[in-house]
Structures are given as structure tokens and as C-alpha cells.
Amino acid sequence: MRSKDENKELVIREKAIEMIVNEGFDGLSMQKLAKEANISASTIYIYFQSREDLLNKLFIEVQEKFEKDALKNFDPKMDFESGLWLQWKNRYNNISKNPLEFQFHEQFRNSPLIRHKDIKPTAFKELMNEFVRNAVKKGELVNIPIVHYWAIAFGPFYTLVKFHVEQASMAGTPFTLKEQSLKQTFNLVMKALRP
Amino acid sequence: MRSKDENKELVIREKAIEMIVNEGFDGLSMQKLAKEANISASTIYIYFQSREDLLNKLFIEVQEKFEKDALKNFDPKMDFESGLWLQWKNRYNNISKNPLEFQFHEQFRNSPLIRHKDIKPTAFKELMNEFVRNAVKKGELVNIPIVHYWAIAFGPFYTLVKFHVEQASMAGTPFTLKEQSLKQTFNLVMKALRP
DNA sequence: AATATAAACGAATGTTCGTTCATTTTAAAC
DNA sequence: GTTTAAAATGAACGAACATTCGTTTATATT
């Protein structure tokens, strides 16, 4: 009996994301993907049920990886400023290490494909809610609806990061955003969020 | 001689945006679009050179309309808080009146299609820069790089609005976001931006 | 070394794609 | 009412699409 080549599935995933980022969803055909991965098109169907299944699995994989990595060293009992800053830095690190995955994720999130999936509420979300509740209780954070909090706490972060990712992507240069820039923006955000 | 039916071009544009928002870029085929618009596929080519030309024209149209409407009653000599709030409200009004156009714009902006176009710097951008320079000079705004300003001044706005647009779109209900919610978020953003 | 079994493949399926073109229809201009 | 020229069309084009299938190949197990 022959066993599945784990590396082969990885190549399919990598090339698929690369093609989608560079050419969009309609730029990803199974035959072109096969050629890029140096395999036969029919081989893809051993690893994925269909094109749609492939896309969904890619999204879920990236989403889960990003959520998990965002919580590295994080504890909802941390003081608010340290906890939020840790999240900014974690997310920043993930994006600079995986700009293609990030762009794929953004593209998927902004497309109607996202509607065909039901996004299950993750433990991630509950952990963040706890973090926010604690901070309000301790008087470290203004008491506002959670969506307002998300908008202010992460809106500036993603706007800033996306700007730099897009700049780099268009110019063909590596993604660069100095930690000092991030910190300066973060300090202003904290000013908004403190009671 | 027969003249072009302006209404026909409008229907094509409307249906195209509708299809893209509901089914994505690969959901838009010329034949399906023709059927939706009750015309022959070849008729589309009287109004647009190609599929790509159609997409580009749609984007440019929406982009210019949104930029123009964002500046309604705006003057770069306004005091900072009033000027920024006016922009929030203008943008908010446009999005709630044209949620499909907004979603189309977001989808395009986050796709690689945007790279095939060169975005010419608009008068819009220069006007905003002047507004910011004035505000800094008058001591109404912290002195930070312009990209940091954009991130903080509009990041929270778009994060909040997109959340509500997506909610409404998924649930099939109309877009609703109370002005009071918007104002509350705005006040915190102002707290961050004041010196 | 033989066997068994899933991986891997190339070719072929029927469909749909964007676009073209010869023809017909329409309405403005005279 | 006739002319004229562009709008509008349906049929047709080859290319590319996702997926299937019968066959071959590779490898773990015996």
C-alpha cells in the first residue's frame, strides 16, 4: 500500500494561496494549479473533494493558524495595555512572516465565499471577551459595546498593516513596518480606550 | 441613426455589481449578466470593450462617486473635529444608501484586480492632506505621520461599518447602525487624535 | 520476492467561458 | 416616407473549465 505524500498536499496549499493572491479566485483553476505543483490535476482530488472544498480548507487553516498565533503568551488576566500590545505584536509578527496567507485571508473575508461557510464561534472569541470584561472591571478600559471596542482596538492596526502589505505587494519589495511606528499608533489608541 | 440606450448601460452596471457582490468575481459571466439584464451578451460589448473593461469602469465609477460624496459640504479650513465628523457622516450616509456598491468596492480593493489598475492620485487626497496640515498647525491634532492619522481616524469607522454591513448582508436585513453608536466611537477617536 | 492497495496519472467528459460576426432592427435625420 | 448608420441580436468560435475514469505506478506489508 502506498501512503499519502504530506509534502504534496503542502505544495498544493501553498501554490493555491500564491495563485489566488496573485490572480484572484478566478485565476485559480485546477489545471493551472496542478501544473504549478508539478502534479496531475486529478491528483488534487485525492487530497481535496472539490475546488470549493480546497478553498474552504485553505481559509479554515489560515484562520485557525492566525487566531492561535495571535494568542501566543496571552492570558486574559493580563493588565489591559500589556495584553492588547501583545496581541498587536503577535498579529504583526504573523503577518510579516506570512504576508501571502494574510492577503489570501483578507481576499476571502471580503468575498461572498465567506457566506457559504458558517463561522463557528471559537474559544478565541470568548477569551477576548473575558479579557475585555476584566479590563473594564479593573477600570483600565472605558465601558463601551464590544463592537466599538474591536473597532478602536484593532481597526487602526489593520488599516496601518494593510497599507504596508499592499505597498510592499505592489512594489515587489518585502513587507516593512517599523515596530516604533506600530507602537506610536498603539499609544494613541490606548489614549482613546483608557477611561 | 440609432442612439445608445443610457438606461441599458445602467442596468448592466447595476446587475453586474449585484452579481459580483452575491457570487464573487468568478460568479460574473457575460452570458449570465446578459440574461439578468434581459439583453444579448453581444450587446454588452457595445457598451464595454471587454469583461476587464467593465470591471475597471465599475470600480472607477464607484470609487469616484464615493470620494466625491465624502466631501459634501466639506472644506479643508473647517475646524478639525467638525471636519472629521462630517466625513464620517457623509461616508456613513453613502454606505447605507449604497451597500451593494460599498461591498463591491471592498471586494475589488482586496483583490489582485486592483493591481492591474494604476490609481491616479486624486484631488481628494490633496484636499485631505491640506486639512490635516491645517489642523496640526492650529494645534487641534497631534503631529503624526499621515498614514498613522488615516489609520486612527478611519480605521475604527470602517471596521465598525463593515461589521454592520456584513451582519445585514448575511441576515438579509437592511443595514442599520445608529448615529449615536457612530458618534460614541467618534468621540473616542477624537480623544486619541487631540494633542 | 510476491501481493495488495491506494496514490498518481493522462485522457476524455460535457459545460461554460469571453468574444466575434454576419444579419436584423431601430430610430434619428433628411 | 426614405435613407442611413449605429444598436441589437443569435449563432458560432476555440479555449478553458471542474471533474471522472480506467490504467499504471509505487510502496508498505507479508
Side-chain angles (χ1 to χ4, degrees), chain B residues 1-2 4-5 8 39-40 42-43 46-47:
Chain B
M1 184 175 91
R2 202 171 165 185
K4 280 193 193 178
D5 186 343
K8 196 160 285 177
I39 55 173
S40 164
S42 44
T43 304
I46 294 168
Y47 296 88

Side-chain angles (χ1 to χ4, degrees), chain A:
Chain A
M1 184 174 92
R2 203 170 164 186
S3 53
K4 280 194 194 178
D5 187 343
E6 279 181 39
N7 182 254
K8 198 160 283 178
E9 185 178 338
L10 211 83
V11 172
I12 295 173
R13 294 183 113 111
E14 270 177 5
K15 292 290 178 189
I17 288 179
E18 197 180 311
M19 289 175 74
I20 290 167
V21 168
N22 288 326
E23 304 175 53
F25 287 114
D26 41 352
L28 178 84
S29 83
M30 301 306 263
Q31 339 229 20
K32 273 162 63 187
L33 173 57
K35 191 164 275 183
E36 281 287 315
N38 282 315
I39 55 172
S40 164
S42 47
T43 302
I44 301 174
Y45 288 86
I46 295 168
Y47 296 88
F48 303 94
Q49 287 168 36
S50 64
R51 192 185 114 107
E52 196 187 349
D53 179 53
L54 168 62
L55 289 173
N56 280 335
K57 290 211 170 110
L58 286 178
F59 178 73
I60 291 170
E61 180 202 27
V62 170
Q63 166 113 324
E64 287 181 350
K65 182 177 152 194
F66 271 60
E67 284 192 350
K68 183 173 153 284
D69 288 2
L71 295 181
K72 201 173 164 188
N73 300 322
F74 179 79
D75 185 316
K77 290 196 274 293
M78 291 176 98
D79 78 274
F80 180 66
E81 182 162 351
S82 315
L84 188 55
W85 174 241
L86 177 66
Q87 289 235 6
W88 275 46
K89 267 210 301 196
N90 281 344
R91 286 164 200 257
Y92 165 80
N93 285 334
N94 296 336
I95 293 165
S96 45
K97 259 182 287 184
N98 311 290
L100 283 180
E101 276 89 342
F102 177 66
Q103 286 178 92
F104 164 75
H105 189 262
E106 286 297 306
Q107 204 175 138
F108 201 104
R109 241 170 41 80
N110 285 282
S111 84
L113 294 178
I114 196 80
R115 259 176 277 176
H116 297 324
K117 296 185 15 52
D118 45 344
I119 310 114
K120 52 171 185 240
T122 53
F124 172 81
K125 207 114 193 205
E126 188 39 50
L127 207 66
M128 291 304 297
N129 287 346
E130 188 191 339
F131 176 58
V132 168
R133 276 196 307 271
N134 286 346
V136 172
K137 204 177 297 172
K138 286 186 282 181
E140 296 172 334
L141 170 62
V142 285
N143 191 7
I144 47 173
I146 194 86
V147 294
H148 296 192
Y149 162 73
W150 270 95
I152 298 172
F154 291 104
F157 172 82
Y158 281 107
T159 306
L160 193 61
V161 166
K162 279 180 76 168
F163 176 81
H164 282 87
V165 169
E166 281 155 21
Q167 286 280 107
S169 164
M170 290 200 193
T173 54
F175 167 77
T176 47
L177 167 60
K178 292 202 201 92
E179 182 166 323
Q180 191 211 331
S181 275
L182 205 63
K183 186 74 191 199
Q184 190 182 22
T185 307
F186 177 78
N187 287 338
L188 294 183
V189 166
M190 276 307 302
K191 212 168 92 187
L193 290 176
R194 268 189 289 262

